[in-house]
mmCIF file of all heavy atoms in Angstrom:
data_model
loop_
_atom_site.group_PDB
_atom_site.id
_atom_site.type_symbol
_atom_site.label_atom_id
_atom_site.label_comp_id
_atom_site.label_asym_id
_atom_site.label_seq_id
_atom_site.Cartn_x
_atom_site.Cartn_y
_atom_site.Cartn_z
ATOM 1 N N THR A 270 9.405 121.040 45.037
ATOM 2 C CA THR A 270 10.501 121.154 44.072
ATOM 3 C C THR A 270 10.027 120.858 42.676
ATOM 4 O O THR A 270 10.519 121.418 41.696
ATOM 5 C CB THR A 270 11.645 120.185 44.440
ATOM 6 O OG1 THR A 270 11.145 118.838 44.538
ATOM 7 C CG2 THR A 270 12.307 120.554 45.743
ATOM 8 N N ASP A 271 8.959 120.059 42.530
ATOM 9 C CA ASP A 271 8.376 119.761 41.191
ATOM 10 C C ASP A 271 7.830 121.067 40.571
ATOM 11 O O ASP A 271 8.052 121.353 39.431
ATOM 12 C CB ASP A 271 7.272 118.715 41.295
ATOM 13 C CG ASP A 271 7.780 117.323 41.526
ATOM 14 O OD1 ASP A 271 8.983 117.079 41.306
ATOM 15 O OD2 ASP A 271 6.999 116.480 41.970
ATOM 16 N N LEU A 272 7.064 121.819 41.381
ATOM 17 C CA LEU A 272 6.527 123.063 40.887
ATOM 18 C C LEU A 272 7.616 124.038 40.452
ATOM 19 O O LEU A 272 7.553 124.631 39.388
ATOM 20 C CB LEU A 272 5.630 123.737 41.948
ATOM 21 C CG LEU A 272 5.091 125.134 41.575
ATOM 22 C CD1 LEU A 272 4.246 125.060 40.301
ATOM 23 C CD2 LEU A 272 4.292 125.666 42.751
ATOM 24 N N HIS A 273 8.662 124.109 41.245
ATOM 25 C CA HIS A 273 9.782 124.987 40.932
ATOM 26 C C HIS A 273 10.414 124.558 39.596
ATOM 27 O O HIS A 273 10.650 125.418 38.728
ATOM 28 C CB HIS A 273 10.817 124.932 42.059
ATOM 29 C CG HIS A 273 11.985 125.800 41.837
ATOM 30 N ND1 HIS A 273 11.928 127.137 41.977
ATOM 31 C CD2 HIS A 273 13.263 125.518 41.481
ATOM 32 C CE1 HIS A 273 13.120 127.695 41.699
ATOM 33 N NE2 HIS A 273 13.946 126.695 41.413
ATOM 34 N N LYS A 274 10.600 123.280 39.399
ATOM 35 C CA LYS A 274 11.203 122.787 38.171
ATOM 36 C C LYS A 274 10.262 123.044 36.959
ATOM 37 O O LYS A 274 10.734 123.426 35.882
ATOM 38 C CB LYS A 274 11.523 121.307 38.263
ATOM 39 C CG LYS A 274 12.664 120.964 39.187
ATOM 40 C CD LYS A 274 12.838 119.494 39.339
ATOM 41 C CE LYS A 274 13.844 119.169 40.432
ATOM 42 N NZ LYS A 274 13.864 117.737 40.780
ATOM 43 N N ILE A 275 8.996 122.846 37.165
ATOM 44 C CA ILE A 275 8.005 123.048 36.094
ATOM 45 C C ILE A 275 8.023 124.516 35.614
ATOM 46 O O ILE A 275 8.061 124.820 34.430
ATOM 47 C CB ILE A 275 6.615 122.616 36.533
ATOM 48 C CG1 ILE A 275 6.501 121.099 36.625
ATOM 49 C CG2 ILE A 275 5.503 123.187 35.611
ATOM 50 C CD1 ILE A 275 5.285 120.571 37.350
ATOM 51 N N HIS A 276 8.005 125.412 36.582
ATOM 52 C CA HIS A 276 7.967 126.816 36.200
ATOM 53 C C HIS A 276 9.263 127.282 35.561
ATOM 54 O O HIS A 276 9.262 128.076 34.621
ATOM 55 C CB HIS A 276 7.533 127.692 37.413
ATOM 56 C CG HIS A 276 8.511 128.600 37.971
ATOM 57 N ND1 HIS A 276 8.574 129.927 37.648
ATOM 58 C CD2 HIS A 276 9.508 128.402 38.847
ATOM 59 C CE1 HIS A 276 9.553 130.502 38.316
ATOM 60 N NE2 HIS A 276 10.137 129.590 39.040
ATOM 61 N N GLU A 277 10.395 126.771 36.029
ATOM 62 C CA GLU A 277 11.670 127.149 35.401
ATOM 63 C C GLU A 277 11.770 126.575 34.015
ATOM 64 O O GLU A 277 12.255 127.241 33.081
ATOM 65 C CB GLU A 277 12.849 126.686 36.267
ATOM 66 C CG GLU A 277 12.996 127.584 37.477
ATOM 67 C CD GLU A 277 14.393 127.516 38.079
ATOM 68 O OE1 GLU A 277 15.052 126.437 38.005
ATOM 69 O OE2 GLU A 277 14.801 128.527 38.687
ATOM 70 N N LYS A 278 11.270 125.346 33.778
ATOM 71 C CA LYS A 278 11.309 124.748 32.448
ATOM 72 C C LYS A 278 10.350 125.479 31.486
ATOM 73 O O LYS A 278 10.687 125.750 30.348
ATOM 74 C CB LYS A 278 10.937 123.269 32.568
ATOM 75 C CG LYS A 278 10.916 122.535 31.243
ATOM 76 C CD LYS A 278 12.131 121.700 31.050
ATOM 77 C CE LYS A 278 12.057 120.808 29.817
ATOM 78 N NZ LYS A 278 12.598 121.409 28.619
ATOM 79 N N ALA A 279 9.178 125.865 31.998
ATOM 80 C CA ALA A 279 8.244 126.647 31.196
ATOM 81 C C ALA A 279 8.907 127.955 30.753
ATOM 82 O O ALA A 279 8.755 128.391 29.606
ATOM 83 C CB ALA A 279 6.947 126.883 31.955
ATOM 84 N N ASN A 280 9.573 128.572 31.660
ATOM 85 C CA ASN A 280 10.251 129.845 31.321
ATOM 86 C C ASN A 280 11.364 129.593 30.294
ATOM 87 O O ASN A 280 11.464 130.344 29.298
ATOM 88 C CB ASN A 280 10.812 130.495 32.574
ATOM 89 C CG ASN A 280 11.423 131.857 32.261
ATOM 90 O OD1 ASN A 280 10.769 132.749 31.773
ATOM 91 N ND2 ASN A 280 12.702 131.988 32.504
ATOM 92 N N GLU A 281 12.144 128.563 30.497
ATOM 93 C CA GLU A 281 13.258 128.264 29.591
ATOM 94 C C GLU A 281 12.718 127.937 28.192
ATOM 95 O O GLU A 281 13.249 128.396 27.191
ATOM 96 C CB GLU A 281 14.057 127.106 30.188
ATOM 97 C CG GLU A 281 15.208 126.675 29.300
ATOM 98 C CD GLU A 281 15.909 125.469 29.909
ATOM 99 O OE1 GLU A 281 16.143 125.427 31.120
ATOM 100 O OE2 GLU A 281 16.228 124.547 29.134
ATOM 101 N N ASP A 282 11.675 127.116 28.129
ATOM 102 C CA ASP A 282 11.180 126.629 26.839
ATOM 103 C C ASP A 282 10.346 127.653 26.076
ATOM 104 O O ASP A 282 10.365 127.646 24.840
ATOM 105 C CB ASP A 282 10.314 125.383 27.027
ATOM 106 C CG ASP A 282 11.104 124.184 27.431
ATOM 107 O OD1 ASP A 282 12.344 124.232 27.436
ATOM 108 O OD2 ASP A 282 10.479 123.168 27.824
ATOM 109 N N TYR A 283 9.623 128.566 26.759
ATOM 110 C CA TYR A 283 8.615 129.376 26.078
ATOM 111 C C TYR A 283 8.760 130.884 26.251
ATOM 112 O O TYR A 283 8.268 131.632 25.423
ATOM 113 C CB TYR A 283 7.196 128.974 26.535
ATOM 114 C CG TYR A 283 6.889 127.539 26.296
ATOM 115 C CD1 TYR A 283 6.786 126.617 27.325
ATOM 116 C CD2 TYR A 283 6.694 127.067 24.992
ATOM 117 C CE1 TYR A 283 6.493 125.292 27.096
ATOM 118 C CE2 TYR A 283 6.375 125.734 24.756
ATOM 119 C CZ TYR A 283 6.302 124.847 25.829
ATOM 120 O OH TYR A 283 5.986 123.543 25.586
ATOM 121 N N VAL A 284 9.334 131.348 27.377
ATOM 122 C CA VAL A 284 9.202 132.790 27.673
ATOM 123 C C VAL A 284 10.526 133.517 27.738
ATOM 124 O O VAL A 284 10.697 134.577 27.161
ATOM 125 C CB VAL A 284 8.398 132.986 28.970
ATOM 126 C CG1 VAL A 284 8.177 134.462 29.229
ATOM 127 C CG2 VAL A 284 7.051 132.261 28.899
ATOM 128 N N GLY A 285 11.489 133.030 28.506
ATOM 129 C CA GLY A 285 12.802 133.636 28.573
ATOM 130 C C GLY A 285 12.932 134.880 29.457
ATOM 131 O O GLY A 285 13.743 135.740 29.172
ATOM 132 N N LEU A 286 12.120 134.949 30.501
ATOM 133 C CA LEU A 286 12.267 136.036 31.461
ATOM 134 C C LEU A 286 13.433 135.758 32.365
ATOM 135 O O LEU A 286 13.778 134.583 32.654
ATOM 136 C CB LEU A 286 10.995 136.175 32.296
ATOM 137 C CG LEU A 286 9.793 136.838 31.672
ATOM 138 C CD1 LEU A 286 8.537 136.606 32.487
ATOM 139 C CD2 LEU A 286 10.069 138.350 31.462
ATOM 140 N N GLU A 287 14.021 136.820 32.938
ATOM 141 C CA GLU A 287 14.993 136.630 34.012
ATOM 142 C C GLU A 287 14.149 136.371 35.260
ATOM 143 O O GLU A 287 13.288 137.202 35.655
ATOM 144 C CB GLU A 287 15.810 137.897 34.214
ATOM 145 C CG GLU A 287 16.740 137.799 35.418
ATOM 146 C CD GLU A 287 17.313 139.142 35.833
ATOM 147 O OE1 GLU A 287 17.429 140.044 34.982
ATOM 148 O OE2 GLU A 287 17.632 139.300 37.012
ATOM 149 N N LEU A 288 14.325 135.241 35.892
ATOM 150 C CA LEU A 288 13.627 134.889 37.116
ATOM 151 C C LEU A 288 14.457 135.343 38.280
ATOM 152 O O LEU A 288 15.538 134.839 38.560
ATOM 153 C CB LEU A 288 13.370 133.385 37.191
ATOM 154 C CG LEU A 288 12.637 132.797 36.011
ATOM 155 C CD1 LEU A 288 12.479 131.284 36.186
ATOM 156 C CD2 LEU A 288 11.276 133.437 35.820
ATOM 157 N N ASP A 289 13.993 136.375 38.967
ATOM 158 C CA ASP A 289 14.714 136.992 40.080
ATOM 159 C C ASP A 289 14.196 136.449 41.382
ATOM 160 O O ASP A 289 13.007 136.613 41.709
ATOM 161 C CB ASP A 289 14.514 138.500 40.011
ATOM 162 C CG ASP A 289 15.367 139.245 41.051
ATOM 163 O OD1 ASP A 289 15.699 138.676 42.093
ATOM 164 O OD2 ASP A 289 15.691 140.427 40.799
ATOM 165 N N TYR A 290 15.066 135.789 42.126
ATOM 166 C CA TYR A 290 14.676 135.151 43.398
ATOM 167 C C TYR A 290 15.141 135.968 44.606
ATOM 168 O O TYR A 290 15.196 135.461 45.710
ATOM 169 C CB TYR A 290 15.271 133.729 43.473
ATOM 170 C CG TYR A 290 14.651 132.806 42.453
ATOM 171 C CD1 TYR A 290 15.292 132.555 41.243
ATOM 172 C CD2 TYR A 290 13.435 132.170 42.730
ATOM 173 C CE1 TYR A 290 14.716 131.691 40.309
ATOM 174 C CE2 TYR A 290 12.865 131.328 41.795
ATOM 175 C CZ TYR A 290 13.499 131.102 40.567
ATOM 176 O OH TYR A 290 12.956 130.249 39.667
ATOM 177 N N THR A 291 15.421 137.252 44.415
ATOM 178 C CA THR A 291 15.895 138.102 45.503
ATOM 179 C C THR A 291 14.989 138.043 46.706
ATOM 180 O O THR A 291 15.428 137.995 47.858
ATOM 181 C CB THR A 291 16.024 139.555 45.011
ATOM 182 O OG1 THR A 291 16.952 139.599 43.903
ATOM 183 C CG2 THR A 291 16.477 140.490 46.114
ATOM 184 N N PHE A 292 13.658 138.122 46.496
ATOM 185 C CA PHE A 292 12.694 138.171 47.586
ATOM 186 C C PHE A 292 12.218 136.800 48.066
ATOM 187 O O PHE A 292 11.305 136.695 48.858
ATOM 188 C CB PHE A 292 11.493 139.000 47.185
ATOM 189 C CG PHE A 292 11.841 140.381 46.748
ATOM 190 C CD1 PHE A 292 11.715 140.763 45.422
ATOM 191 C CD2 PHE A 292 12.303 141.309 47.642
ATOM 192 C CE1 PHE A 292 12.056 142.064 45.010
ATOM 193 C CE2 PHE A 292 12.648 142.609 47.256
ATOM 194 C CZ PHE A 292 12.530 142.985 45.942
ATOM 195 N N ASN A 293 12.844 135.741 47.581
ATOM 196 C CA ASN A 293 12.397 134.383 47.880
ATOM 197 C C ASN A 293 12.873 133.829 49.219
ATOM 198 O O ASN A 293 12.379 132.818 49.645
ATOM 199 C CB ASN A 293 12.854 133.438 46.750
ATOM 200 C CG ASN A 293 12.128 132.102 46.789
ATOM 201 O OD1 ASN A 293 10.900 132.061 46.981
ATOM 202 N ND2 ASN A 293 12.847 131.044 46.592
ATOM 203 N N ALA A 294 13.759 134.507 49.902
ATOM 204 C CA ALA A 294 14.220 134.010 51.182
ATOM 205 C C ALA A 294 13.140 134.093 52.243
ATOM 206 O O ALA A 294 12.437 135.125 52.345
ATOM 207 C CB ALA A 294 15.478 134.825 51.618
ATOM 208 N N ILE A 295 13.035 133.063 53.051
ATOM 209 C CA ILE A 295 11.983 132.999 54.069
ATOM 210 C C ILE A 295 12.076 134.132 55.075
ATOM 211 O O ILE A 295 11.096 134.579 55.606
ATOM 212 C CB ILE A 295 11.993 131.622 54.773
ATOM 213 C CG1 ILE A 295 10.677 131.401 55.503
ATOM 214 C CG2 ILE A 295 13.179 131.510 55.726
ATOM 215 C CD1 ILE A 295 10.424 129.973 55.866
ATOM 216 N N ASN A 296 13.293 134.670 55.265
ATOM 217 C CA ASN A 296 13.478 135.764 56.229
ATOM 218 C C ASN A 296 13.802 137.080 55.539
ATOM 219 O O ASN A 296 14.363 137.970 56.185
ATOM 220 C CB ASN A 296 14.573 135.364 57.247
ATOM 221 C CG ASN A 296 15.877 135.053 56.561
ATOM 222 O OD1 ASN A 296 15.949 134.989 55.320
ATOM 223 N ND2 ASN A 296 16.930 134.875 57.317
ATOM 224 N N HIS A 297 13.460 137.214 54.252
ATOM 225 C CA HIS A 297 13.764 138.468 53.541
ATOM 226 C C HIS A 297 12.979 139.618 54.264
ATOM 227 O O HIS A 297 11.807 139.450 54.613
ATOM 228 C CB HIS A 297 13.338 138.405 52.081
ATOM 229 C CG HIS A 297 13.858 139.566 51.295
ATOM 230 N ND1 HIS A 297 13.232 140.775 51.284
ATOM 231 C CD2 HIS A 297 14.959 139.706 50.516
ATOM 232 C CE1 HIS A 297 13.902 141.612 50.520
ATOM 233 N NE2 HIS A 297 14.955 140.983 50.054
ATOM 234 N N PRO A 298 13.618 140.779 54.466
ATOM 235 C CA PRO A 298 12.956 141.840 55.211
ATOM 236 C C PRO A 298 11.658 142.341 54.587
ATOM 237 O O PRO A 298 10.768 142.824 55.325
ATOM 238 C CB PRO A 298 14.005 142.965 55.259
ATOM 239 C CG PRO A 298 15.159 142.528 54.485
ATOM 240 C CD PRO A 298 14.984 141.098 54.117
ATOM 241 N N GLU A 299 11.468 142.221 53.281
ATOM 242 C CA GLU A 299 10.222 142.671 52.644
ATOM 243 C C GLU A 299 9.050 141.715 52.900
ATOM 244 O O GLU A 299 7.907 142.080 52.734
ATOM 245 C CB GLU A 299 10.411 142.858 51.130
ATOM 246 C CG GLU A 299 11.356 143.998 50.761
ATOM 247 C CD GLU A 299 10.785 145.336 51.048
ATOM 248 O OE1 GLU A 299 9.544 145.483 51.112
ATOM 249 O OE2 GLU A 299 11.576 146.262 51.219
ATOM 250 N N MET A 300 9.379 140.461 53.241
ATOM 251 C CA MET A 300 8.378 139.450 53.604
ATOM 252 C C MET A 300 7.255 139.300 52.541
ATOM 253 O O MET A 300 6.076 139.101 52.867
ATOM 254 C CB MET A 300 7.731 139.798 54.970
ATOM 255 C CG MET A 300 8.709 140.057 56.105
ATOM 256 S SD MET A 300 9.315 138.582 56.871
ATOM 257 C CE MET A 300 7.881 137.949 57.680
#
Side-chain angles (χ1 to χ4, degrees):
T270 55
D271 288 341
L272 175 59
H273 181 73
K274 289 174 188 171
I275 288 167
H276 112 98
E277 285 200 331
K278 180 102 172 92
N280 185 59
E281 180 183 317
D282 290 352
Y283 302 109
V284 184
L286 284 166
E287 175 194 334
L288 304 178
D289 186 333
Y290 293 97
T291 300
F292 302 111
N293 195 42
I295 198 162
N296 58 352
H297 191 280
E299 293 290 336
M300 308 278 293

